[in-house]
Amino acid sequence: MKLAGFAGALVLLFGAAALAGSTVGPDRSGENRVEPEGHAGAAEEGGHAGEAAPDPVRGLAVAGDGLKLTLDTTELERGRASELRFSIRGAGGRPVRDFEVEHEKRMHLIVVRRDGSGFQHLHPELDASGAWSVPVTLSEAGSYRVFADFKHDGEAQTLAADLNVDGDADYRPLPEPTLTADTGDGYEVRLDAGHVSAGREAELRFAVTKDGEPVETEPYLGARGHLVALREGDLAYLHVHPSGDSVEFMSEFPSEGRYGLYLQFKHDGRVHTAAFTKDVAR
Ligand SMILES: [Cu+2]
């Protein structure tokens, strides 16, 4: 049987992706990487030593290419089950309604606190007026980033906005890199990536086990696994998908630095999330 390892190549789509809603605490680490694909609005900085121009970094801007992410409210109450509502507005401020399906969904919403904790991947519903909504509960105070990952007019985009939860925030640095991470619900995931350099394609392979036995992940949103990478410092967003029918990803990190990696896979009908920390060299 195959491990759920994803080896491979992640293509980062900064915006496309698909994980589905699980929440990860700040307690995992691992290492690995992802690569961005997508475009987004902000330039990356930092040097990457690659030869070819790296894919643009996504998720740093609230607007781009004539579209803007508008949150109905920029503050939620800590620990309270809430409805997060937002829209993607285009010309004249009109809500966009024609989104294309990517990884089985028209909208992938990633919510994560600024320190990389509390990762959630949600799939909002679109109403006739062009308003998206999804239930969400944020258990910790602090500043969160909300990434709307979608495809419109044939172009994948990731727009992001800030969302605040009032209260004393206990921000923590990303955990030190480790090779294995726990999903918190019985699975252990091992990351095999080796040395990863900025601007160069890297192969990230994940192997999932449960009680010491290899687990073959199930198709989830059209793939064996989904990976989101967020750069420490600015949460530049990379969404990566496996190459083929595996849990291997090819990805290219835009710059040196530390990244939080969030791997999501499906097994026994449920979605599980493992978080890693990966250092990318110059
Ligand atoms: Cu999704």
Side-chain angles (χ1 to χ4, degrees):
M1 75 173 38
K2 51 172 89 163
L3 300 186
F6 316 104
L10 303 178
V11 176
L12 302 185
L13 316 179
F14 261 10
L19 308 180
S22 38
T23 299
V24 174
D27 51 4
R28 322 57 190 340
S29 40
E31 69 174 8
N32 210 4
R33 121 357 66 0
V34 170
E35 144 179 354
E37 120 183 18
H39 345 189
E44 67 187 71
E45 48 202 270
H48 39 74
E51 28 283 301
D55 293 322
V57 171
R58 291 190 182 194
L60 298 179
V62 73
D65 290 339
L67 300 178
K68 181 177 184 196
L69 167 61
T70 303
L71 300 183
D72 278 18
T73 177
T74 55
E75 180 139 3
L76 291 183
E77 194 174 324
R78 179 178 184 168
R80 178 174 187 164
S82 308
E83 189 82 357
L84 180 59
R85 293 172 58 83
F86 64 96
S87 57
I88 302 298
R89 296 176 181 267
R94 287 186 298 275
V96 172
R97 298 185 50 227
D98 55 328
F99 294 88
E100 290 150 44
V101 172
E102 271 239 279
H103 296 284
E104 304 181 3
K105 300 290 181 181
R106 294 182 192 279
M107 178 65 68
H108 300 272
L109 197 75
I110 301 295
V111 180
V112 65
R113 203 170 70 161
R114 274 289 183 184
D115 64 351
S117 66
F119 179 92
Q120 298 190 51
H121 179 160
L122 309 168
H123 296 117
E125 297 286 331
L126 179 66
D127 73 13
S129 73
W132 290 96
S133 62
V134 65
V136 67
T137 300
L138 300 178
S139 57
E140 301 291 340
S143 179
Y144 287 75
R145 284 294 272 176
V146 175
F147 299 93
D149 191 335
F150 60 92
K151 192 172 187 180
H152 174 65
D153 275 350
E155 181 159 359
Q157 280 195 260
T158 304
L159 299 178
D162 289 333
L163 177 63
N164 190 56
V165 175
D166 202 21
D168 288 336
D170 176 22
Y171 292 117
R172 294 166 293 264
L174 284 177
E176 287 299 308
T178 59
L179 293 179
T180 60
D182 250 304
T183 58
D185 55 2
Y187 297 84
E188 183 175 84
V189 181
R190 181 177 181 81
L191 168 63
D192 177 11
H195 183 78
V196 176
S197 295
R200 294 178 188 278
E201 196 164 76
E203 184 174 282
L204 305 180
R205 279 187 299 251
F206 294 92
V208 181
T209 56
K210 185 175 187 183
D211 299 328
E213 296 294 319
V215 165
E216 182 169 7
T217 60
E218 298 157 13
Y220 172 53
L221 295 177
R224 291 283 175 175
H226 296 273
L227 183 64
V228 168
L230 298 174
R231 183 167 62 187
E232 184 180 56
D234 64 1
L235 297 187
Y237 175 91
L238 307 182
H239 191 145
V240 185
H241 288 280
S243 50
D245 192 32
S246 71
V247 204
E248 303 179 346
F249 301 81
M250 291 302 299
S251 57
E252 184 178 318
F253 293 84
S255 65
E256 67 170 320
R258 181 160 280 188
Y259 292 77
L261 305 183
Y262 304 88
L263 173 73
Q264 294 194 286
F265 62 90
K266 190 173 184 181
H267 187 252
D268 276 348
R270 297 191 52 216
V271 176
H272 312 279
T273 304
F276 291 85
T277 296
K278 178 66 179 174
D279 283 336
V280 172
R282 186 179 292 276

